[in-house]
Amino acid sequence: MTLLLKIAKPVLDFALPQRCPACGEITPDGFSFCPICWEKIRFMNRPWCESCALPFPFQQADGALCADCLSNPPMHDGIRAAVAYDSTSRQIALRLKYGGKIGLAKMIARHLVRHLPEDRSDIIIAPVPLHWTRLWSRSFNQSALIGRELARLGGTAYCADLLIRTKRTPSLRGLSLKERRTAVGTAFVANPARQKMIAGARLLLVDDVFTTGATSNGCVKALKKSGASWVQIFCWARALRGEALPENSFGSVRT
């Protein structure tokens, strides 16, 4: 089989040119961006708030927090994102989520692996779950694809069903933060069959996009209620405070 793939790959690469994951332009490498999109993408790096990953304009002391996290400490134990959420990074999330380009999950995981903690021997990676009706209609959970690959690259444990989505929530598009939190606040519960695994655990919760945090906060609340000691959020793109959120005809990926 390996020999067959080696023979077939050059033929497939010629017949199906590899493309930029953001705009679809042909590129030399299937997971490389075209030069134009590469210039547009804003990769998330320190210095940032150690809690919410909001970038700081200048170097800060290790562990520094932004004003919002100091005045209103979040329930989670940090956000780590590969890139800032804008029209370019949004296209990648949409191509994965609605376009069925599931190979993008591997690209996203490769950009996230650099944010994994150095000591991750006892960490478990888990995805934000979909309601079974959406999973049935879409046939895959994009967060699960990213999480599984991230666990493989990072050499950590992975569990797809730590959380259960008990109700199908309406689209969050156009809702206020309060309305979003109400809509998803009781939508997640810890899986009773995984209670022993969750109790005292250090968890990485994987989602594709973080905007208002309503969905991930609902998940973190459920996990900590069941005894998780530490829950950090990992995502492809994170909305930055004060920046307008992009919209387009593909629908909404806001969470």
Side-chain angles (χ1 to χ4, degrees):
M1 180 60 73
T2 302
L3 178 61
L4 180 61
L5 289 174
K6 287 182 178 179
I7 296 172
K9 188 178 187 301
V11 178
L12 291 174
D13 287 347
F14 179 80
L16 300 171
Q18 310 210 16
R19 298 179 179 274
C20 171
C23 69
E25 289 294 319
I26 295 174
T27 62
D29 181 344
F31 292 116
S32 293
F33 297 93
C34 72
I36 293 175
C37 290
W38 181 261
E39 290 295 324
K40 291 179 180 178
I41 289 177
R42 294 176 291 168
F43 290 95
M44 299 287 286
N45 293 294
R46 289 180 171 85
W48 59 25
C49 169
E50 195 62 29
S51 177
C52 72
L54 182 74
F56 287 135
F58 48 83
Q59 193 65 43
Q60 299 273 356
D62 290 346
L65 302 179
C66 68
D68 280 358
C69 289
L70 282 170
S71 60
N72 186 25
M75 185 176 295
H76 61 69
D77 295 284
I79 300 170
R80 298 294 180 262
V83 299
Y85 185 56
D86 55 24
S87 58
T88 303
S89 60
R90 175 183 169 84
Q91 286 300 318
I92 295 172
L94 292 169
R95 287 174 184 270
L96 170 59
K97 189 170 184 176
Y98 298 118
K101 306 294 185 182
I102 61 175
L104 293 177
K106 292 186 176 182
M107 182 274 294
I108 290 172
R110 286 206 298 270
H111 283 291
L112 279 173
V113 73
R114 63 192 173 95
H115 293 313
L116 287 173
E118 289 186 13
D119 177 15
R120 48 183 182 263
S121 58
D122 61 344
I123 280 179
I124 303 171
I125 293 179
V128 170
L130 290 178
H131 190 264
W132 70 267
T133 56
R134 282 204 170 98
L135 184 59
W136 181 82
S137 63
R138 194 180 301 166
S139 78
F140 66 90
N141 176 356
Q142 72 281 355
S143 299
L145 295 178
I146 297 169
R148 185 180 295 110
E149 180 65 11
L150 182 61
R152 187 188 71 81
L153 293 174
T156 67
Y158 172 77
C159 184
D161 62 348
L162 281 188
L163 284 166
I164 299 173
R165 196 163 193 149
T166 58
K167 65 179 182 179
R168 178 168 178 162
T169 53
S171 171
L172 302 182
R173 186 176 183 178
L175 299 182
S176 67
L177 178 57
K178 183 178 180 180
E179 290 169 333
R180 289 166 186 253
R181 287 177 174 170
T182 299
V184 301
T186 59
F188 303 98
V189 297
N191 186 347
R194 300 297 188 184
Q195 180 58 49
K196 289 184 179 180
M197 183 182 292
I198 296 171
R202 297 174 68 218
L203 306 175
L204 291 184
L205 180 69
V206 176
D207 205 356
D208 52 353
V209 170
F210 182 99
T211 53
T212 66
T215 297
S216 54
N217 284 344
C219 293
V220 172
K221 181 179 178 181
L223 290 169
K224 291 208 166 182
K225 184 178 179 181
S226 290
S229 64
W230 183 89
V231 184
Q232 197 169 79
I233 300 165
F234 267 52
C235 59
W236 159 240
R238 184 228 192 279
L240 299 182
R241 199 174 302 137
E243 293 190 4
L245 298 178
E247 299 284 353
N248 64 29
S249 59
F250 288 95
S252 174
V253 294
R254 297 183 182 181
T255 55

